[in-house]
């Protein structure tokens, strides 16, 4: 988990590469996903362009961004190794259904 | 024991690609997940929660500060914000695969990752049901 704050001075792609996706500095297992919470406003085209920027820098890993649309709606997009999504998440809908309580690991 | 709720199941290959689905080296349902550095399974290793529960826990953690009109400590606020972001990812994963997702906050002694997230794949015969993780193709 990482957070790209409103106070960050570098670009989002530079931030992700420096902190999480630089293969010379970081090594994660194959089932590790980098999830970044994005505070500043971002357009879909900016995020899509970031995938190309990360590919050009030979980044390594699996990275998703989480952004907020309004009080209850969020979007999840994959930005590396390829662009994918968005997948929308609505908190109200999540709580409209029964909350699962059975732990499948103890089945 | 039921392992899925009332959410309607969706095809495993949606019109756009959210992520790939691991097919090997996963954890069969009911297995222990060994994640401690020394290889021992401890009691907390099986404390998995639904994303909805995790959201409720996050709200409970900062509720006293909201009631007092004070600002939570920076470390607590960061932990809550990142737990919520992990929860949103888990809910997105659940919608993508049309199955429940489960998550566990990882103790700092385990170093990484921050959160473990898996989903229940019960699409095949009962003997093939497993908890799976998202992996790159």
């Amino acid at each position: 988990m990482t957070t790209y704050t409103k106070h960050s001075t570098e670009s989002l792609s530079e931030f992700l590469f420096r902190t999480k996706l630089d293969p010379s500095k970081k090594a994660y297992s194959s089932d590790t996903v980098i999830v970044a919470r994005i505070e500043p406003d971002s357009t879909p085209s900016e995020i899509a362009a970031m995938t190309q920027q990360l590919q050009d820098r030979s980044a390594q890993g699996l990275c998703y961004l989480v952004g907020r649309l309004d009080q209850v709606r969020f979007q999840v997009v994959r930005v590396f190794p390829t662009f994918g999504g968005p997948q929308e998440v609505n908190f109200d809908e999540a709580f409209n259904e029964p909350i699962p309580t059975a732990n499948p690991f103890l089945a | 024991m039921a392992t899925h709720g009332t959410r309607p199941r969706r095809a495993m290959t949606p019109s756009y690609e959210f992520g790939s689905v691991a097919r090997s080296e996963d954890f069969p349902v009911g297995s222990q997940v060994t994640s401690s550095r020394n290889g021992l399974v401890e009691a907390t290793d099986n404390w998995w929660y639904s994303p909805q529960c995790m959201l409720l826990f996050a709200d409970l953690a900062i509720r006293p500060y909201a009631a007092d009109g004070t600002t939570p400590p920076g470390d607590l606020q960061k932990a809550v914000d990142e737990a919520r972001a992990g929860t949103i990812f888990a809910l997105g994963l659940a919608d993508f695969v049309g199955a429940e997702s489960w998550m566990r906050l990882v103790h700092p002694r385990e170093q990484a990752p921050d959160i473990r997230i898996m989903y229940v794949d019960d699409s095949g015969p009962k003997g093939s049901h497993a908890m799976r993780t998202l992996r790159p193709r």
Side-chain angles (χ1 to χ4, degrees), chain B residues 2 8 13 24 31 41 84 120 124 137:
Chain B
T13 52
S24 63
S31 70
V41 175
R84 282 178 171 156
V120 180
R137 287 183 190 277

Side-chain angles (χ1 to χ4, degrees), chain B residues 5 11 14 19 32 36-38 51 53 68 73 76-77 99 111 115-116 118 120:
Chain B
Q32 294 276 355
S36 302
R37 294 179 65 195
N38 60 6
C53 283
D68 295 345
L76 174 62
Q77 187 64 58
Q111 295 191 325
I115 303 174
R116 291 187 67 92
M118 292 187 170
V120 180

Side-chain angles (χ1 to χ4, degrees), chain A residues 1-3 30-33 35 37 39 61-62 64 66 74-78 81-89 91 94-95 97-107, chain B residues 1-3 6-7 10 16-19 29-31 33 46 48 50 52-53 55-56 81-82 85-86 88-89 91-92 95-96 100 102 114-115 118 120 131 133-136:
Chain A
M1 301 296 309
T2 187
T3 302
S30 62
D31 61 350
T32 296
V33 176
V35 177
R37 190 172 67 91
E39 289 183 348
L62 178 59
Y64 289 77
V66 171
F74 300 81
Q75 280 190 336
V76 184
V77 294
R78 188 186 59 242
T82 56
F83 183 81
Q87 181 83 23
E88 189 165 319
V89 173
F91 277 3
F95 281 94
E97 301 172 358
I99 299 176
T101 54
N103 184 337
F105 282 99
L106 301 178
Chain B
M1 184 179 292
T3 57
T6 57
R7 177 182 292 122
R10 210 180 281 176
Y16 58 84
E17 187 186 27
F18 178 65
V29 171
S31 70
V33 177
N46 265 338
W48 290 72
S50 63
Q52 291 92 335
C53 283
L55 284 176
L56 294 174
D81 287 343
E82 295 197 345
I88 294 163
F89 176 80
L91 288 170
D95 273 345
F96 174 74
E100 282 180 8
W102 292 82
D114 300 323
I115 303 174
M118 292 187 170
V120 180
M131 300 297 291
T133 60
L134 205 58
R135 291 174 190 236

